[in-house]
C-alpha cells in the first residue's frame, strides 16, 4: 500500500505547494485532448468536441466545458498545484491585450483535441477546420508574445516568459493515426520523424522566450479501452505501448541534447507509460476497481461507442481509470498531475514539475 500513501501525501500537501510556487507568473499549455479546456468549442466545423453531456458531469454545476472528462483534466490540476486559482483559459476565449494591460494575464491554454505534432493530424479536409494544429498553436503563442512586447517591452517580457511554465502534452494522435492508416510508416522511421518535428516546435518556443518546460510524454496507448476491445481477454495492445515507449526514449534524447545547447533551459519529462502501467498493475492501491472499462460509452468494455448524452454512464466514477474509450477520469487526471508535480525519477525526470520554478 506504499503507492497509495504517496498519493495521500500529495493530496495533503497541496495547500503548502500553492504558496511555495507563487512566483510563477504564467502557465502556457499546448497539446491535444489530454489538456484541452475548450478550444474546439470555438471551431464551428470541428467534429472533435466534448461540449455536451455526459462530459462535465462532475464539473462545477455539471457544465460540459469541452474537456474530454467527467470534470477537470491534468492541466487544470497542475495549475492548481502551482497556486493558480483557475486553469489558463482557451486562447479563443480571451482578449489577451486587455488582460495584459490590466495586469490580469496569467497564461493561456492553446491545446486542441485531436491535434498532433504533424500538421495533417486531426484535419479531415483542407477546407474543414477540425483542430488547431501544434504549428498553429505556436503561431497563436507568437501573437501573445507580440502583445507582451507591446505592453511590457523586451526586457520585462523576457523576464516574464523565462519564469513562466510551458506544459506540452501531444503525440498520441500522431501515433494512433499512423498505426491505423492504410499504409503505416514503420515505427523505426515514424517515431524519429515525430522527434524531429517536436524539436522544431521546441526551438520555436525557445526563440520566443520559453525556458521552463513540463513535457508529458505519450501514455500507454495500448491499454486504452478502445484498444483492449480488439485483444483476447481485454489485454493491452503491446505494439502501441512499444511505440509510446519509443516516443519517450526519443524525447529523453531530444531534451537532453537541447539542454546541452541551451544552457538556460530547464525541463521535466513525464514518463506516462510507466505512470499508467503502475496504476493498472496496482489498481487497488490507488482505489481503482475498473482499469479496463470506460465509465461513459457503450458496447464491449463500454468502449465501442463514444461518450454521448445517451451513453451508458457509471455512477462510481472515482473507481474508474478511464472516462471514455481514450481519456482518463477526473480522478485519474488528478493522480497524474500529482505524480508529475512531485513524483520520483522513475516517473518524471531529471526533475519533477514542482522543481521547475527554482531550477
Amino acid at each position: 500500500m506504499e503507492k497509495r500513501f504517496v498519493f495521500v501525501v500529495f493530496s495533503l500537501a497541496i495547500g503548502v505547494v500553492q504558496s511555495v510556487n507563487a512566483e510563477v507568473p504564467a502557465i502556457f499549455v499546448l497539446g491535444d485532448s489530454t489538456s484541452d479546456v475548450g478550444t474546439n468549442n470555438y471551431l464551428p466545423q470541428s467534429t472533435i468536441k466534448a461540449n455536451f453531456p455526459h462530459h462535465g458531469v462532475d464539473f462545477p454545476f455539471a457544465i460540459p466545458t469541452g474537456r474530454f472528462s467527467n470534470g477537470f483534466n491534468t492541466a487544470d490540476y497542475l495549475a492548481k498545484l502551482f497556486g493558480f486559482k483557475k486553469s489558463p483559459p482557451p486562447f479563443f476565449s480571451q482578449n489577451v491585450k486587455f488582460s495584459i494591460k490590466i495586469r490580469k494575464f496569467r497564461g493561456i491554454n492553446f491545446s486542441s483535441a485531436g491535434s498532433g505534432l504533424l500538421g495533417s493530424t486531426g484535419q479531415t479536409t483542407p477546407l474543414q477546420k477540425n483542430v488547431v494544429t501544434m504549428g498553429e498553436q505556436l503561431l497563436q503563442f507568437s501573437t501573445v508574445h507580440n502583445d507582451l512586447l507591446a505592453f511590457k517591452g523586451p526586457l520585462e517580457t523576457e523576464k516574464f516568459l523565462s519564469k513562466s511554465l510551458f506544459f506540452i502534452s501531444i503525440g498520441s494522435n500522431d501515433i494512433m493515426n499512423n498505426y491505423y492508416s492504410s499504409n503505416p510508416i514503420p515505427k523505426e522511421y515514424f517515431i524519429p520523424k515525430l522527434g524531429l518535428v517536436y524539436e522544431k516546435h521546441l526551438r520555436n518556443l525557445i526563440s520566443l522566450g520559453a525556458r521552463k518546460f513540463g513535457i508529458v510524454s505519450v501514455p500507454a496507448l495500448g491499454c486504452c479501452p478502445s484498444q483492449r476491445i480488439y485483444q483476447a481477454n481485454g489485454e493491452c495492445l503491446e505494439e502501441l505501448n512499444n511505440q509510446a515507449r519509443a516516443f519517450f526514449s526519443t524525447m529523453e534524447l531530444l531534451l537532453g541534447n537541447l539542454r546541452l545547447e541551451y544552457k538556460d533551459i530547464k525541463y521535466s519529462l513525464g514518463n506516462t507509460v510507466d505512470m499508467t502501467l503502475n496504476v493498472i498493475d496496482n489498481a487497488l492501491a490507488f482505489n481503482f476497481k475498473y482499469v479496463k472499462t470506460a465509465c461513459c460509452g457503450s458496447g464491449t468494455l463500454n468502449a465501442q461507442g463514444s461518450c454521448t448524452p445517451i451513453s451508458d454512464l457509471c455512477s462510481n466514477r472515482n473507481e474508474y481509470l478511464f472516462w471514455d474509450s481514450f481519456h482518463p477520469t477526473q480522478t485519474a487526471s488528478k493522480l497524474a498531475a500529482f505524480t508529475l508535480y512531485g513524483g520520483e525519477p522513475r516517473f518524471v525526470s531529471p526533475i519533477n514539475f514542482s522543481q521547475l520554478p527554482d531550477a
Side-chain angles (χ1 to χ4, degrees), residues 17-217:
V17 166
Q18 288 175 338
S19 62
V20 170
N21 291 285
E23 72 273 13
V24 176
I27 290 175
F28 299 95
V29 186
L30 302 97
D32 54 29
S33 58
T34 56
S35 52
D36 187 348
V37 294
T39 292
N40 286 15
N41 297 350
Y42 297 88
L43 304 179
Q45 294 180 312
S46 178
T47 59
I48 309 174
K49 293 182 179 180
N51 57 348
F52 50 82
H54 296 295
H55 298 294
V57 63
D58 296 312
F59 198 83
F61 306 106
I63 297 174
T65 60
R67 292 166 173 82
F68 284 78
S69 171
N70 55 308
F72 293 102
N73 63 26
T74 299
D76 296 313
Y77 284 114
L78 282 172
K80 290 180 181 181
L81 284 165
F82 280 100
F84 284 57
K85 293 182 180 179
K86 294 182 179 180
S87 185
F91 173 78
F92 290 124
S93 72
Q94 293 298 293
N95 184 331
V96 175
K97 292 181 180 179
F98 182 72
S99 297
I100 295 172
K101 186 176 181 179
I102 65 173
R103 299 185 182 278
K104 294 285 187 179
F105 184 72
R106 299 296 306 278
I108 288 288
N109 188 314
F110 304 95
S111 298
S112 173
S115 66
L117 290 161
L118 303 177
S120 59
T121 300
Q123 300 288 35
T124 51
T125 69
L127 298 178
Q128 181 177 347
K129 189 64 178 173
N130 211 33
V131 305
V132 181
T133 67
M134 185 64 168
E136 292 170 331
Q137 291 177 39
L138 287 173
L139 288 175
Q140 291 176 345
F141 175 70
S142 71
T143 67
V144 173
H145 177 262
N146 290 337
D147 291 339
L148 287 168
L149 283 174
F151 286 97
K152 291 178 175 290
L155 292 179
E156 190 175 345
T157 296
E158 180 182 356
K159 181 179 179 181
F160 180 87
L161 291 176
S162 69
K163 292 185 176 181
S164 297
L165 302 181
F166 290 76
F167 299 150
I168 307 176
S169 177
I170 201 163
S172 297
N173 294 318
D174 300 287
I175 293 174
M176 294 285 284
N177 286 4
N178 179 66
Y179 183 79
Y180 284 107
S181 72
S182 58
N183 188 26
I185 302 172
K187 175 183 68 176
E188 293 74 17
Y189 300 100
F190 186 69
I191 300 301
K193 176 183 178 180
L194 291 183
L196 290 174
V197 177
Y198 212 135
E199 179 181 353
K200 176 184 176 183
H201 292 323
L202 288 174
R203 287 184 183 276
N204 284 339
L205 283 171
I206 292 170
S207 72
L208 291 170
R211 291 296 181 269
K212 298 189 176 187
F213 298 93
I215 307 293
V216 183
S217 191

Side-chain angles (χ1 to χ4, degrees), residues 135-333:
E136 292 170 331
Q137 291 177 39
L138 287 173
L139 288 175
Q140 291 176 345
F141 175 70
S142 71
T143 67
V144 173
H145 177 262
N146 290 337
D147 291 339
L148 287 168
L149 283 174
F151 286 97
K152 291 178 175 290
L155 292 179
E156 190 175 345
T157 296
E158 180 182 356
K159 181 179 179 181
F160 180 87
L161 291 176
S162 69
K163 292 185 176 181
S164 297
L165 302 181
F166 290 76
F167 299 150
I168 307 176
S169 177
I170 201 163
S172 297
N173 294 318
D174 300 287
I175 293 174
M176 294 285 284
N177 286 4
N178 179 66
Y179 183 79
Y180 284 107
S181 72
S182 58
N183 188 26
I185 302 172
K187 175 183 68 176
E188 293 74 17
Y189 300 100
F190 186 69
I191 300 301
K193 176 183 178 180
L194 291 183
L196 290 174
V197 177
Y198 212 135
E199 179 181 353
K200 176 184 176 183
H201 292 323
L202 288 174
R203 287 184 183 276
N204 284 339
L205 283 171
I206 292 170
S207 72
L208 291 170
R211 291 296 181 269
K212 298 189 176 187
F213 298 93
I215 307 293
V216 183
S217 191
V218 170
L221 297 174
C223 294
C224 293
S226 61
Q227 307 311 301
R228 287 182 181 269
I229 60 176
Y230 302 115
Q231 305 305 303
N233 302 317
E235 297 305 313
C236 298
L237 177 55
E238 282 306 316
E239 175 53 30
L240 273 177
N241 285 351
N242 288 336
Q243 295 208 23
R245 292 185 182 97
F247 185 83
F248 174 77
S249 297
T250 298
M251 291 305 301
E252 271 191 314
L253 181 61
L254 163 60
L255 291 166
N257 288 337
L258 283 177
R259 178 69 180 88
L260 292 175
E261 183 176 347
Y262 299 96
K263 304 299 184 183
D264 57 342
I265 72 164
K266 309 294 179 184
Y267 72 89
S268 178
L269 175 61
N271 184 347
T272 45
V273 173
D274 282 358
M275 285 168 55
T276 306
L277 295 178
N278 181 53
V279 173
I280 291 173
D281 293 341
N282 302 279
L284 292 180
F286 291 100
N287 291 330
F288 289 116
K289 289 185 179 180
Y290 308 96
V291 296
K292 294 183 178 182
T293 305
C295 172
C296 183
S298 60
T300 304
L301 299 181
N302 226 19
Q304 288 181 297
S306 58
C307 182
T308 71
I310 60 172
S311 295
D312 295 329
L313 178 67
C314 70
S315 58
N316 48 341
R317 291 179 283 278
N318 290 340
E319 297 177 348
Y320 279 74
L321 178 61
F322 288 97
W323 162 241
D324 59 16
S325 60
F326 288 100
H327 303 96
T329 57
Q330 174 176 260
T331 299
S333 294

